[in-house]
Amino acid sequence: MGRSERILLASALAVGSAAAYGFPDCSTPPLSDNAVCDTALDPITRATALIELFTVEELINNTDSTSPGVPRLGLPAYQWWSEGLHGVADSPGVNFSASGEFSYATSFPQPIIMGAAFDDPLIKEVGSVVGMEGRAFNNYGRAGLDYWTPNINPFKDPRWGRGQETPGEDPFHLSNYVYSLVLGLQGGLDPEPYYQVVSTCKHYAGYDLEDWDGNYRYGFNAVITTQDLSEYYLPSFQSCYRDAKVGAAMCSYNAVNGVPSCADTYLLQDILRDFWGFTQDRWITSDCDAVDNIYNPHNYTATPQQAVADALMAGTDIDCGTFYSTWLPTAYNESLITETQLRTALIHQYSSLVRLGYFDPVEWQPYRTYNWNNVNTPYAQQLAYQAAVEGIVLLKNDGTLPISSSVKNIALIGPWANATNEMQGNYFGVAPYLISPLMGAMQDGYNVTYVFGTNITSNDTSGFAAAVAAAKEADLVIYAGGIDETVESEGNDRNYITWPGNQLDLVAELQAVGKPLVVVQFGGGQVDDTTLKGNASVNALVWAGYPGQSGGQALFDLLSGKVAFAGRLPVTQYPADYVYEIPMTDMNLRANATSPGRTYMWYTGTPVYEYGYGEHYTTFSSKWSKAPAKTYNIQELVDAGKYATYLDTATFDTLSIDVKNTGKVTSDYVTLLFAKGTYGPAPYPNKTLITYTRLHSIAPGSTTTAVLPITLGAIARADTYGNMWLYPGTYEVELDTTGSLTYQFELTGDAAQLTSFPQNPAASS
């Protein structure tokens, strides 16, 4: 968040805190005489009738995210900007009370950890709870109805400071995650008659850079091939906007191929509204100050009034900022925009509010009954704990874990050892409680000696001696470190992916003590664990991300064996030299003469830990429940899928795998199925994730069946124009990162086109 954004946020918070949310009164004139209050009509008709009453000045005034409403019409002020990335969060639209009711909300783990769970039903439940708590806050004037979440930009570069906000690097996984989350938040698939809350998928599109080597997100031009745009950068947005039918979209700071996203008709109209069917009862907001950035620093227009005109005409309905209200009057007076265009933007906004029940009787709306009793319920608390348990990943273990019953005294060392607020990562609210690792260890009954040891980025060794002394007296040593918001955050990319500061020096001294040593790595982005992975003196290694309000309890319940690890890395862990091999500004995925490639799909090097990696306390065997088909005809598949709403969502096949727990510990198991082969345009990806599911609580000796639906889109590839095709060829399917179960099938017949991706008119002119 830049200086201008901080000023904007402070101003908006002041406005939001001063006035509680109100609702229009449809029982009295003038609204009672307007069709907006006629519940028999559709939302767009109702909103159109209302907006016809606005003057041009009132239209312009209400294009900013801090909307003043129209007092003469009985329309109260409304703040469009509320946050709920992993729980109702501090933002201009959310106002926590100092104590008592609505003084906190459930704080789930960061999405990067929830993504590591690979559990879509869990994500839907998390969304449902966040949406319910958001509604409860709104009913008591403490939040809006529109939540600017989730962040679904693929985490393609390990240096990105906001990667922690995302579910990971794989577009198929992101697409499933966001579909589940949005259904939970909004109360179903395109729910009628009311949304629970409106979700906003961001940041559209190609946004994954904050501040790197003099390149800033506000003015960065992301040069992306149409093939990569279709195949990698946009699938999660297609899933959100088209399939989950999210209520709102956010355009990003950066430009894509020379055009700032919030002024890009190709992105906002050709793809979003025309290709994906983003309907007129849904709206588009800019990221904060992104409309201003069209003019400066993008320098896309010669004047500020042309910048706001370009944004409005492209389809940006709301400006998070004040650039619209400042410069739209000039743009209107110079005939750069029309009254009709202003009215269209407001119709998009208010038809969405109609769908939220904004104008309808309270007694008709079950969501309006939510209150403080719906916040941080016992179920929500358990869900936050479960999300952390499912997402924390075991990267290495020589048998030291689970902690032996003979261990009584633990030396808990490091800058994360007693972390509380840090457990939330960014975009957080006030948590009801924050269980640190130290608290988790004490809850599990251990005698704990806690020593801070060193800071995240410090080179001060003055705390080493106390740490080593504690280790010598302990039965087990646990080092809790990694990275945090001082290293990775919004506005702050990393230059290096090594462990910062002198943390590994301290770990080396702890190793020398000779006691069993467990290292727990926190933070959203990965650091190079080569030294720890290859050193036998480090007995176990765990990645814990930002695990939320119950993170410390979840961590120690896993370490002690009360529950079992089953999380999987949702990103690739690269060796440290990767940052010298490709600049952050390079948006290309495929390897070439100057790039080793990006993500597990295209990286040509050897990862430290690969995407999808995760160890268990037990062992598993697997076999096909029934033998999969060996041959499929493309034309028959396409013909069978013609009744699907979209051909790429039609079923290819549903495979079933019997997973048996052959060990001694009850455990979940994440079933990841990858495909690879020389089909479609060269070069070919290493492999791609085509389906997954999480199996729960498989007891020793028991077998559970994983049912794995595969869509045509999951095995399709994009041509250079971005069109998705089914290609003939030999497909190799592998279970898990180890390829523990494999088979091949053939696609026969002619290649078939599943989608016709819109072509950018500017590219051909």
Side-chain angles (χ1 to χ4, degrees):
M1 185 175 291
R3 179 177 180 275
S4 60
E5 284 181 278
R6 288 195 295 270
I7 294 170
L8 170 64
L9 176 59
S11 174
L13 283 168
V15 172
S17 300
Y21 289 88
F23 289 86
D25 184 0
C26 271
S27 66
T28 60
L31 290 183
S32 61
D33 299 327
N34 186 271
V36 74
C37 293
D38 185 347
T39 57
L41 300 175
D42 66 89
I44 294 175
T45 300
R46 293 174 67 180
T48 300
L50 174 67
I51 300 308
E52 286 175 352
L53 303 179
F54 282 41
T55 66
V56 169
E57 182 181 9
E58 290 164 345
L59 292 169
I60 290 173
N61 287 344
N62 285 279
T63 56
D64 291 344
S65 55
T66 303
S67 168
V70 184
R72 71 177 181 86
L73 297 178
L75 286 180
Y78 185 74
Q79 175 55 255
W80 291 90
W81 179 7
S82 293
E83 294 285 356
L85 179 68
H86 52 114
V88 176
D90 286 317
S91 49
V94 176
N95 176 22
F96 289 93
S97 63
S99 61
E101 294 188 354
F102 301 103
S103 59
Y104 53 80
T106 307
S107 183
F108 292 95
Q110 272 285 51
I112 195 66
I113 278 288
M114 292 197 288
F118 286 91
D119 188 346
D120 295 333
L122 172 81
I123 299 308
K124 183 178 178 182
E125 289 302 301
V126 169
S128 296
V129 168
V130 174
M132 177 174 66
E133 295 190 2
R135 263 289 180 164
F137 268 69
N138 174 260
N139 288 336
Y140 288 80
R142 293 197 169 273
L145 293 165
D146 295 281
Y147 285 81
W148 292 5
T149 189
N151 179 345
I152 53 169
N153 298 103
F155 191 2
K156 76 153 175 44
D157 192 293
R159 291 162 284 193
W160 187 29
R162 297 185 73 175
Q164 60 175 290
E165 300 175 28
T166 79
E169 72 182 35
D170 179 76
F172 176 80
H173 177 213
L174 265 68
S175 297
N176 284 273
Y177 178 103
V178 68
Y179 183 88
S180 300
L181 184 75
V182 168
L183 263 60
L185 284 165
Q186 296 194 160
L189 178 61
D190 206 20
E192 295 288 350
Y194 302 115
Y195 289 120
Q196 179 170 244
V197 296
V198 164
S199 173
T200 310
C201 285
K202 62 185 185 183
H203 311 80
Y204 181 61
Y207 169 49
D208 58 3
L209 178 147
E210 303 298 305
D211 175 2
W212 181 82
D213 196 30
N215 297 277
Y216 301 96
R217 58 181 177 163
Y218 308 111
F220 174 60
N221 178 34
V223 178
I224 306 173
T225 68
T226 304
Q227 186 178 40
D228 282 349
L229 197 66
S230 172
E231 197 169 54
Y232 186 75
Y233 291 100
L234 294 190
S236 54
F237 290 97
Q238 174 175 281
S239 175
C240 184
Y241 298 146
R242 186 192 74 177
D243 300 330
K245 301 188 184 302
V246 76
M250 177 185 285
C251 50
S252 57
Y253 289 117
N254 57 282
V256 175
N257 298 327
V259 183
S261 298
C262 294
D264 194 338
T265 302
Y266 174 60
L267 286 177
L268 302 186
Q269 186 64 49
D270 296 350
I271 298 177
L272 178 56
R273 291 209 183 267
D274 295 342
F275 183 51
W276 290 335
F278 194 73
T279 53
Q280 300 303 306
D281 55 356
R282 299 189 271 172
W283 47 270
I284 302 168
T285 182
S286 75
D287 205 339
C288 297
D289 289 338
V291 173
D292 185 351
N293 299 150
I294 295 168
Y295 174 61
N296 179 35
H298 280 294
N299 299 314
Y300 183 70
T301 62
T303 64
Q305 59 265 36
Q306 189 64 59
V308 297
D310 284 2
L312 186 71
M313 289 188 292
T316 303
D317 302 308
I318 296 172
D319 170 26
C320 179
T322 58
F323 213 62
Y324 262 1
S325 59
T326 301
W327 289 103
L328 280 174
T330 304
Y332 180 76
N333 290 335
E334 293 181 3
S335 299
L336 299 176
I337 59 169
T338 67
E339 185 175 331
T340 298
Q341 290 165 337
L342 289 168
R343 294 195 187 279
T344 297
L346 270 292
I347 289 169
H348 293 163
Q349 295 178 32
Y350 274 89
S351 57
S352 176
L353 287 174
V354 169
R355 294 195 59 185
L356 282 157
Y358 195 61
F359 296 91
D360 292 1
V362 174
E363 58 271 18
W364 290 14
Q365 304 181 56
Y367 294 136
R368 293 286 290 276
T369 65
Y370 290 172
N371 56 37
W372 180 237
N373 292 328
N374 296 97
V375 178
N376 196 47
T377 64
Y379 175 72
Q381 294 175 15
Q382 175 61 28
L383 193 64
Y385 166 80
Q386 189 66 27
V389 163
E390 290 195 16
I392 295 174
V393 181
L394 179 62
L395 295 175
K396 173 185 176 179
N397 184 30
D398 65 1
T400 297
L401 297 178
I403 298 171
S404 169
S405 59
S406 63
V407 170
K408 306 299 181 186
N409 301 306
I410 291 177
L412 184 57
I413 296 162
W416 271 90
N418 196 27
T420 52
N421 289 331
E422 296 92 333
M423 307 288 280
Q424 297 177 280
N426 66 358
Y427 283 90
F428 59 90
V430 180
Y433 48 80
L434 290 164
I435 301 175
S436 69
L438 176 59
M439 294 168 64
M442 295 171 67
Q443 285 180 355
D444 278 359
Y446 296 105
N447 298 320
V448 185
T449 301
Y450 159 61
V451 180
F452 185 79
T454 189
N455 207 332
I456 294 289
T457 57
S458 175
N459 289 312
D460 180 2
T461 61
S462 61
F464 282 24
V468 170
K472 290 179 178 178
E473 299 300 318
D475 303 319
L476 174 71
V477 181
I478 298 175
Y479 179 80
I483 58 178
D484 64 8
E485 284 266 284
T486 65
V487 176
E488 55 167 2
S489 61
E490 181 171 359
N492 181 28
D493 294 319
R494 289 188 285 163
N495 290 318
Y496 309 101
I497 53 174
T498 50
W499 280 72
N502 59 10
Q503 293 183 77
L504 290 185
D505 294 335
L506 176 54
V507 170
E509 294 202 17
L510 297 175
Q511 289 172 221
V513 173
K515 298 294 180 70
L517 174 62
V518 176
V519 174
V520 183
Q521 168 194 327
F522 289 87
Q526 292 294 308
V527 289
D528 180 356
D529 286 327
T530 299
T531 301
L532 305 178
K533 180 181 181 181
N535 194 320
S537 298
V538 177
N539 303 96
L541 176 62
V542 173
W543 174 62
Y546 296 96
Q549 68 184 39
S550 294
Q553 178 188 356
L555 174 64
F556 266 88
D557 283 358
L558 286 162
L559 296 177
S560 66
K562 288 186 177 181
V563 287
F565 287 98
R568 303 298 191 96
L569 278 185
V571 290
T572 301
Q573 187 182 117
Y574 297 94
D577 285 349
Y578 185 77
V579 301
Y580 304 112
E581 296 175 330
I582 184 170
M584 280 195 75
T585 49
D586 185 346
M587 304 298 287
N588 294 309
L589 300 171
R590 293 153 178 79
N592 55 48
T594 60
S595 166
R598 293 191 177 280
T599 80
Y600 78 95
M601 293 181 286
W602 299 101
Y603 179 51
T604 54
T606 302
V608 181
Y609 285 107
E610 64 183 306
Y611 176 89
Y613 187 82
E615 297 187 6
H616 304 86
Y617 284 153
T618 189
T619 55
F620 297 95
S621 66
S622 56
K623 65 178 183 178
W624 300 107
S625 301
K626 63 175 183 178
K630 295 292 187 179
T631 304
Y632 302 85
N633 179 270
I634 291 175
Q635 279 64 51
E636 291 177 359
L637 290 169
V638 170
D639 187 61
K642 64 186 177 183
Y643 297 109
T645 305
Y646 302 101
L647 187 54
D648 59 288
T649 66
T651 299
F652 164 69
D653 201 351
T654 299
L655 305 183
S656 296
I657 297 175
D658 292 334
V659 178
K660 182 177 181 179
N661 186 339
T662 55
K664 299 179 180 180
V665 177
T666 297
S667 177
D668 289 5
Y669 179 77
V670 172
T671 311
L672 302 173
L673 211 59
F674 298 92
K676 64 181 181 180
T678 55
Y679 47 85
Y684 309 108
N686 301 320
K687 60 181 178 180
T688 58
L689 183 66
I690 59 171
T691 185
Y692 63 86
T693 191
R694 187 181 182 109
L695 304 177
H696 294 276
S697 301
I698 309 174
S702 296
T703 298
T704 301
T705 300
V707 179
L708 298 161
I710 304 172
T711 64
L712 297 183
I715 59 170
R717 292 196 57 211
D719 63 19
T720 56
Y721 296 99
N723 305 311
M724 301 301 294
W725 291 75
L726 277 185
Y727 289 103
T730 300
Y731 291 65
E732 300 176 46
V733 177
E734 298 179 345
L735 173 65
D736 210 338
T737 57
T738 59
S740 58
L741 188 65
T742 64
Y743 96 102
Q744 289 186 352
F745 66 84
E746 291 281 339
L747 279 191
T748 63
D750 297 328
Q753 187 172 341
L754 303 182
T755 64
S756 296
F757 193 74
Q759 300 304 294
N760 190 346
S764 58
S765 61

